Amino acid sequence: MTLTDLFATRSARMRASEIRELLKLLDQPDIISFAGGIPDPALFPHEAFQTAYAEILGGPAANAALQYQVSEGYLPLRRWLAGEMGKIGVACDEGNILITSGSQQALDYLGKLFLSPGDTALVTWPTYLGALQAFNAYEPRYDRLTLAGGNMTPEAYRTAARAAGGEPKFAYLVPDFANPTGETLDRAGREALLDLAGELDIAVIEDAAYRALRFDGEGVPPILALDCARSGGIDRARTIYCGSFSKILAPGLRVGWVCAPRPIIDKLVLMKQAADLHSPSINQMAIHLVAETAYDTQVNKLVAAYGARRDAVLAALAAHMPEGVHWSRPEGGMFVWLTLPDAIDTTDLLARAVREARVAFVPGSAFHADGSGRNTLRLSFTLANERAVADGIPRLAALIRDTLAA
Ligand SMILES: Cc1ncc(COP(=O)(O)O)c(C=O)c1O
């Protein structure tokens, strides 16, 4: 007997992703990486945080900062967030907000709350890899959520879910500048999704991690706002909104939030209590101070910087990619999604890209619940400086051309 024989069945689906392991090897200085979906650390609001932590620890709030905290989260931060949600069409109060340790923790809790083994989660093909990893622990079945013109009827979804021994429970999606595609779901698509969710009587998990990072184009209301308008208020809505400070202020502080109907928040608070009691008090307080004073300035700074990098990457793709390669044109966020001719497997391409071209990306199959998408890949432009664009994209394009010719 070994201890591994004692693991619960749910652990079987917790596997290190091959690709994440490969990408760990990429910090050699001569590799140009478009792989990591991380903010540019040079753009962190360093001084604002330095001032905030000094003020908190040097003043009357020091004890509260170092003390336990309610599981719901730091009240002034929850109130600030309720105000921000109001500005985007979601009238709510602090009772509708739970602070989580990054939005990743919210995804884990929502999997725990809704999914019994064999239940169905509807996700887009592709979707955020971290959501699949969070949900996998609860042993769901995945079905494909088609956002535009799919031919699945609510009845077909329900029949397939029951045949697999469970029920459809939620649809999960990243509607703004999605990870990994960079695409945004338009208003009609959001309304259609709410229709589907209504017919199936399931929850909608709206992952809004990139929402604030719009460079151009018209803003689209959050699904939760459209839901509140049709259902008569947040406490009657079926949408659960997961927000994050990671992409705007700093991911290392691990502060995110859920905005949802009260009965959902009440249950998530109990989970939070059982899991880690609360997110770090001092980080919530520092985020609150920095958000109050510098959130909009920070958003503007990121939009200018990342918007220019997106433009440079799109221009380089247009100049260098061979015929048959297609890509998304994101209006914000961090990612461009490439679709290559069917003959190319991007996992194999990555191995060659790292070895021969010294350039890296994330192969698209990692983001597909069924392992498909083998001819797709994700490029992140957040760290795409001039050299990366001038050298990296032509090298990748040359490798693709070479692979197609072989
Ligand atoms: C779509 C999406 N959701 C959630 C997260 C998790 O972010 P955090 O836990 O830092 O808020 C990420 C991080 O990359 C993401 O891309």
Side-chain angles (χ1 to χ4, degrees), residues 15-187:
R15 282 185 301 259
S17 125
E18 234 176 85
I19 290 159
R20 284 209 167 170
E21 294 304 303
L22 179 60
L23 295 174
K24 272 190 204 158
L25 309 173
L26 294 186
D27 46 10
Q28 295 118 327
D30 67 321
I31 292 195
I32 296 176
S33 179
F34 297 98
I38 57 172
D40 182 349
L43 300 170
F44 289 151
H46 299 96
E47 274 176 32
F49 276 118
Q50 216 171 353
T51 310
Y53 278 96
E55 198 176 309
I56 292 165
L57 287 173
N63 281 346
L66 300 173
Q67 187 54 283
Y68 285 118
Q69 164 81 240
V70 292
S71 298
E72 287 85 343
Y74 180 54
L75 184 58
L77 179 59
R78 284 190 291 134
R79 287 201 172 129
W80 185 83
L81 282 167
E84 291 298 298
M85 294 303 300
K87 290 182 196 164
I88 53 172
V90 179
C92 65
D93 64 28
E94 65 269 15
N96 298 110
I97 307 278
L98 166 72
I99 305 295
T100 52
S101 295
S103 52
Q104 188 67 30
Q105 185 174 54
L107 300 179
D108 175 44
Y109 288 178
L110 291 168
K112 192 185 279 189
L113 184 60
F114 285 107
L115 298 171
S116 298
D119 277 341
T120 291
L122 305 186
V123 297
T124 52
W125 265 214
T127 190
Y128 168 49
L129 171 60
L132 295 177
Q133 288 175 323
F135 301 151
N136 278 347
Y138 304 103
E139 305 173 86
R141 160 187 176 267
Y142 294 107
D143 207 340
R144 181 177 191 168
L145 176 64
T146 45
L147 295 173
N151 55 7
M152 282 290 277
T153 61
E155 204 37 53
Y157 277 125
R158 197 178 288 116
T159 305
R162 290 190 178 156
E167 292 287 335
K169 289 296 182 65
F170 60 71
Y172 163 84
L173 75 164
V174 188
D176 304 285
F177 327 121
N179 182 0
T181 64
E183 284 165 355
T184 296
L185 185 62
D186 64 15
R187 188 181 179 127

Side-chain angles (χ1 to χ4, degrees), residues 1 23 45 72 82 106 127-128 166 204 233 257 285 301 353 387 402:
M1 199 274 295
L23 295 174
E72 287 85 343
T127 190
Y128 168 49
V204 173
W257 73 95
M285 293 166 83
K301 183 165 91 175
R387 176 183 154 255
D402 189 57

Side-chain angles (χ1 to χ4, degrees), residues 91-93 95-96 224 228 231-238 260-265:
C92 65
D93 64 28
N96 298 110
L224 178 55
C228 290
S231 65
I234 187 162
D235 288 326
R236 301 161 68 106
R238 61 176 68 252
R262 252 173 205 266
I264 302 287
I265 295 292

Side-chain angles (χ1 to χ4, degrees), residues 18 39 45 76 79 156 206 225 251 273 279 313 324 370 377:
E18 234 176 85
R79 287 201 172 129
E206 175 173 29
Q273 236 164 42
S279 294
V313 165
D370 66 344
L377 65 88

